[in-house]
Amino acid sequence: MRIKWFSTIRVMGMLFVLLYHFYISFFPGGFVGVDLFFTLSGYLTTALFLDEYAKHQTIDFKGFFQRRFYRIFPPVVFTLLITTPLALLVRSDFIAGIGRQLMAALGFMTNFFEILAGGSYENQFTPHLFLHTWSLAIEVQFYLLWAFIIWGMTRFAKTIGHLRGMVFLASSFLFLISFLAMFVSSFFVTSFSTIYFATWTHIFPFFLGSILASLTGLNTLTRPFERVMASWDLKRSLSVIAGGLVVELLLLVFLTFDSIWTYLVGFLLSSLATATMIYGARVLHEKTEQIKEPAVLLFLSNISYGVYLFHWPFYIIFSQLLPHVLAVVLTLLFSIIFATLSFYLLEPYLAGRKGKLLGLEIDLNPYTKWIWATGGILTLTALGISLFAPRLGNFERESLVNNLYQAERQLISTRSAAENAQATDYNVEKGITIIGDSVSVRASEGIQSLLPNAQLDGAVSRNLSEADKLVQLYQNSHSLKENVVIALGTNTSENYQELLDELVERFPKGHRLIFVTPYDGNNASGQALAYQIGQYERQLAEKYDYIGIADWYKVAKENPHIWTNTDLVHFNLATDGATLFAQTIQSAVEKAEQQPVRTK
């Protein structure tokens, strides 16, 4: 029996994810849409296990995995085969090492692949085309783990009530362990992406759904839940659902990925709100026996999984080729088309059934040769791309070369400093030390040209938390130049004020500090962290006379041509972006040298 109104939760989860990926500046908390799916999936999986046991006193685990395989695996393969060749249309960075991405997606291990690769969920120059399959990996891992545990429980259970009790206790224990792992880890990790991707820290929404299933049931209901259904009216059911919806909408608008509160309470609140909506929807199903779900809602629910699979690679590809609005429209259009074909035609065909679309029964068996021939061609194409794709993208190669060049320059700089020392009154060597992230690395050629004697230390994915440590390291080794340029902030930190205050407080005497204001064109609103970091840096410059500003944010907005075919964080090397970045620093240093160094 299909429970009405659960479709609403599926569609809501899909919409949250789409809004997050398309308009992150307006909907920064849309990533909780995945947790809606997790909680609902945990509930349905466990409830169906319990229903089957109540009816047959056993559970057909082989049948369960067979059904899950036909529902999950074919759409994944379909997505990979369709979108991998399309990646050839955009810059080569997107197919670099793509074979490893394909293997991780097919093996449902993308979450571990991203952790081992050091991937950041939000701050990537070239996002992996199949990054989003991390959630499928955790879902499949949950199925394997939970089915094994349930199987063990059925060996000992005497009655359905006994099994429910064991499920409740096991779910509660695993939920608590996983949530505490996320809660505690959030205080110690350097990147929140690690605990976001990790199975052991992000699997707790599934077990919250399992707890709910043990308390309510799906078709075979518990007595307490039957009493609840008898006592609630339509208004109360809708009120409960609305309450959960309000919480989810607040999280959608106000939650941010890099906030520690997201990991302390955000995901928990989202999961609890989803559980509340599931509870209310199950009661509402009984209160609306004469009402059918809207056909549009049912359709969107059916294709939600396929849309989730297709939208990310389509969006990445289209956004490299087209203006944003057109990229969004085409992403939605093609995602809906391919998701519809997958759910209504391809999946039934592979399961040995006839498909049905727009009320028409469609038998694909006469076209078997064409289907398998097309699939074979696409498979060979994807395999060829994987075998001949470069191991490193252009950006990674440039970073590697620039890092080697930086090391050579630092050796030359150190030797030159020893031979031609020009100390200030504070026994500080004149010159410039630049501490930056991947944007500085990308601008290294411009910096070498305009500031040939500058000491550049740039690293990919570096954030503000490393600034003070690096300054102290250079200071202790007596290699920190008089003018210190901090070009960080693109890789945002929620506690940026604390980090900047610590840097300023511990900043050594005899030096000047120049902040390069960060720019992120994906999120350029006044609420964006990168913008707020720049604003706070300006406040510090007004407060302290030895602090200057290199306003890269302003220059970046005034020169839109440098962002063509980029991720809107790292300028196009074919433009004068590197020169503009270096000129911004050069001008700021020249202005700062008219100001005093820190004296107290």
Side-chain angles (χ1 to χ4, degrees), residues 52-264:
E52 186 173 354
Y53 187 84
K55 187 175 182 180
H56 303 291
Q57 287 72 55
T58 186
I59 298 174
D60 180 9
F61 291 101
K62 181 181 177 180
F64 166 75
F65 282 114
Q66 189 175 36
R67 291 191 299 273
R68 289 290 81 200
F69 175 84
Y70 281 116
R71 182 67 188 100
I72 294 175
F73 195 69
V76 171
V77 175
F78 191 32
T79 301
L80 302 183
L81 293 181
I82 293 295
T83 58
T84 299
L86 294 177
L88 296 174
L89 298 175
V90 293
R91 66 178 193 268
S92 62
D93 297 85
F94 287 98
I95 62 169
I98 198 169
R100 296 190 296 273
Q101 292 185 55
L102 290 170
M103 292 302 294
L106 290 171
F108 298 101
M109 298 293 284
T110 299
N111 60 327
F112 292 118
F113 171 77
E114 293 296 335
I115 292 172
L116 293 174
S120 170
Y121 187 64
E122 282 197 325
N123 299 309
Q124 294 194 75
F125 170 59
T126 307
H128 289 159
L129 282 179
F130 310 117
L131 169 70
H132 62 315
T133 59
W134 72 269
S135 62
L136 300 183
I138 293 184
E139 183 168 2
V140 170
Q141 291 155 23
F142 164 75
Y143 290 149
L144 294 171
L145 172 66
W146 194 226
F148 177 75
I149 293 174
I150 294 287
W151 174 83
M153 291 178 184
T154 60
R155 304 299 94 183
F156 299 97
K158 301 291 191 296
T159 64
I160 181 60
H162 190 194
L163 182 59
R164 284 187 192 278
M166 287 193 289
V167 167
F168 174 79
L169 292 175
S171 299
S172 300
F173 175 76
L174 292 170
F175 164 78
L176 187 61
I177 293 297
S178 177
F179 172 69
L180 287 177
M182 174 175 280
F183 187 94
V184 174
S185 298
S186 63
F187 290 102
F188 300 102
V189 294
T190 55
S191 170
F192 287 128
S193 293
T194 302
I195 53 178
Y196 184 72
F197 288 134
T199 305
W200 49 88
T201 52
H202 208 155
I203 203 171
F204 69 86
F206 288 100
F207 291 115
L208 181 61
S210 297
I211 293 171
L212 182 62
S214 69
L215 295 174
T216 65
L218 185 64
N219 296 320
T220 305
L221 305 177
T222 63
R223 290 181 181 178
F225 189 60
E226 287 178 338
R227 290 196 291 270
V228 169
M229 286 202 303
S231 63
W232 283 21
D233 57 12
L234 179 63
K235 182 178 179 181
R236 187 168 184 180
S237 302
L238 291 173
S239 298
V240 168
I241 296 173
L245 176 60
V246 168
V247 173
E248 296 289 7
L249 291 174
L250 290 173
L251 295 175
L252 171 69
V253 176
F254 295 108
L255 208 62
T256 58
F257 185 82
D258 281 325
S259 170
I260 192 172
W261 293 105
T262 297
Y263 303 87
L264 296 179

Side-chain angles (χ1 to χ4, degrees), residues 403-508:
N403 285 337
L404 292 173
Y405 187 83
Q406 285 180 49
E408 181 184 6
R409 288 295 305 276
Q410 288 180 15
L411 286 173
I412 295 172
S413 177
T414 302
R415 187 183 303 121
S416 175
E419 295 173 353
N420 306 295
Q422 288 184 299
T424 66
D425 293 340
Y426 287 88
N427 199 31
V428 172
E429 183 186 355
K430 290 184 177 294
I432 305 169
T433 296
I434 302 174
I435 297 174
D437 53 23
S438 54
V439 179
S440 301
V441 173
R442 197 159 181 78
S444 58
E445 187 174 329
I447 292 172
Q448 293 159 17
S449 176
L450 293 178
L451 302 166
N453 296 318
Q455 182 183 42
L456 174 60
D457 182 350
V460 176
S461 298
R462 180 178 284 166
N463 58 46
L464 280 172
S465 65
E466 301 176 56
D468 177 63
K469 297 175 184 177
L470 288 168
V471 169
Q472 298 304 319
L473 180 64
Y474 277 105
Q475 173 68 6
N476 293 336
S477 63
H478 306 289
S479 58
L480 189 68
K481 303 297 178 68
E482 184 180 36
N483 299 303
V484 181
V485 178
I486 302 296
L488 299 171
T490 301
N491 300 304
T492 54
S493 302
E494 184 75 19
N495 60 333
Y496 65 90
Q497 292 188 9
E498 176 187 341
L499 295 173
L500 290 171
D501 287 343
E502 181 181 15
L503 171 63
V504 171
E505 181 182 347
R506 288 162 48 85
F507 192 72

